[in-house]
Amino acid sequence: MSKIKIESEWEVILKDYFETDEFNQLTDFVKSQYQTKKVYPEPKNIFGAFWKTPFSKVKVIILGQDPYHGPNQAHGLSFSVQDGINPPPSLKNIYKEIESNFGIKKDFSSGNLGIWAEQGVFLLNSVLTVVANSPASHQGKGWEKFTDLVISKLSDKRENLVFMLWGNFAKSKKNLIDQNKHLVLESAHPSPFSAYNGFFGNQHFLKCNQYLKELGLSTINW
C-alpha cells in the first residue's frame, strides 16, 4: 500500500518495498487486527520513530523487539513510554547506566524518549504493533522483514552510525550492519533479568558520544 503515511525522507528510501505484495499483506493483517482487537500503539504512532528521526538525521540506532503491550505506554519509539506513564524496568536500568556514564541524575518520573529521537536517536522496534496484554503477538507477521530492510538501508546508505544492540535478539541483526562503516555496540539487555550480566557497565552512551565527538558531530544529550 503505497499510500502509507510516513516521513517524506523515509518514504523515498522505502518506496519500492511499500509497493510489494509482501508489504500489502502485512498492511492487510495489521488493519484487520486494529479492526478486531485492541492493538498498540495508536495507528498514528506506528511509525513514530520515522517521524521523529528522518533518515538523514539518524546518528544512533537503539533496537527493541516489540512495543509495550499495556495501556498508554507504546507510542512508536523503542523503550519509550508516553508522558505520564512510569518508566518500565528496562528503561529505568537504561537511565541508571546513563547516570553511571556521565555522573548525572536522570528524571525517573518521565519515560518519554522523544527528546532523544529529535537529536538523531532512531528508536526502532523490530515489530511495530502488538495486541494488548499479549507480548510478541505480532512477531512473524511481516514486520521483521520491513525493519530488517530499514536497518540494511541505514547501513548501506549512511556512514558512521552507532548501533546499540542489547540482548540476543538485537545482536542477531548484526549481520545486517557493515561494521567497517559503523560502530556496533553489543551487550546484555537492560531487562532486570539480564542487566547485571553485562548491560550495567557497558558504557554504551559514553562510547557513543566519544565516537560522535571524534567525528566532529554533535553528541547526544542523554
Side-chain angles (χ1 to χ4, degrees), residues 169-203:
F169 177 82
K171 291 176 189 177
S172 73
K173 306 298 183 179
K174 186 177 178 179
N175 64 318
L176 301 171
I177 304 163
D178 183 346
Q179 294 177 71
N180 295 316
K181 294 169 59 182
H182 306 288
L183 177 63
V184 177
L185 301 173
E186 300 177 76
S187 78
H189 194 277
S191 159
F193 300 107
S194 57
Y196 286 97
N197 294 326
F199 179 78
F200 288 136
N202 67 19
Q203 295 196 313

Side-chain angles (χ1 to χ4, degrees), residues 120-209:
V121 182
F122 187 49
L123 297 163
L124 178 67
N125 278 317
S126 181
V127 174
L128 301 188
T129 54
V130 67
V131 176
N133 305 313
S134 187
S137 46
H138 283 180
Q139 287 184 12
K141 304 299 185 182
W143 278 127
E144 293 91 341
K145 290 184 179 180
F146 169 68
T147 52
D148 281 0
L149 176 66
V150 169
I151 295 167
S152 295
K153 291 287 189 184
L154 284 164
S155 176
D156 293 346
K157 294 180 177 293
R158 295 289 310 280
E159 292 184 352
N160 303 319
L161 300 177
V162 181
F163 289 84
M164 295 186 185
L165 307 181
W166 301 332
N168 290 333
F169 177 82
K171 291 176 189 177
S172 73
K173 306 298 183 179
K174 186 177 178 179
N175 64 318
L176 301 171
I177 304 163
D178 183 346
Q179 294 177 71
N180 295 316
K181 294 169 59 182
H182 306 288
L183 177 63
V184 177
L185 301 173
E186 300 177 76
S187 78
H189 194 277
S191 159
F193 300 107
S194 57
Y196 286 97
N197 294 326
F199 179 78
F200 288 136
N202 67 19
Q203 295 196 313
H204 280 188
F205 304 98
L206 184 61
K207 291 174 181 176
C208 170
N209 276 4

